[in-house]
Amino acid sequence: QVQLVESGGGLVQPGGSLRLSCAASGSMIRMFVMGWYRQAPGKERELVARITHDGRANYADSVKARFTISRDNAKNTVDLQMNSLKPEDTAVYYCNLRLGGSFEVWGQGTLVTVSS
């Protein structure tokens, strides 16, 4: 029913910035918790940032003060602004939509590579 498509990934130098965007279709996202997760090679998927229906955000300790999650319910998008990128941030980044513990949708992922 709901589909999520991420965009904005690519290659960036350490210290650089990228802005990821997640576009939802099939439903308005205003009532859902939206999040960004990432998975690096050989590692478990981890939560990067999450934002509630009313705009309350939380972040993994590793990205606090560097990343900012935002949502535009009218445009049906969720963005992740990533600043001061480090090689350790290299991963596939996934957009996530969730309502409680019963309904969840994932995007296909977008690759972020931080390297000189």
Side-chain angles (χ1 to χ4, degrees), residues 35-115:
W36 286 95
Y37 293 73
R38 68 186 181 188
Q39 187 167 24
K43 296 185 177 181
E44 287 264 307
R45 182 191 65 189
E46 64 175 351
L47 174 69
V48 176
R50 187 160 51 201
I51 186 166
T52 66
H53 66 95
D54 56 351
R56 291 177 287 115
N58 49 43
Y59 301 89
D61 288 341
S62 59
V63 307
K64 283 182 178 176
R66 299 191 298 120
F67 291 11
T68 303
I69 188 171
S70 61
R71 67 191 296 160
D72 189 330
N73 289 337
K75 295 181 179 179
N76 232 29
T77 58
V78 179
D79 287 1
L80 184 69
Q81 178 65 46
M82 305 186 295
N83 299 324
S84 301
L85 283 161
K86 306 173 181 179
E88 307 92 87
D89 296 317
T90 296
V92 177
Y93 284 71
Y94 297 92
C95 183
N96 172 264
L97 174 154
R98 180 166 53 85
L99 179 62
S102 61
F103 184 70
E104 189 172 49
V105 177
W106 293 92
Q108 84 290 343
T110 186
L111 177 63
V112 173
T113 302
V114 185
S115 176

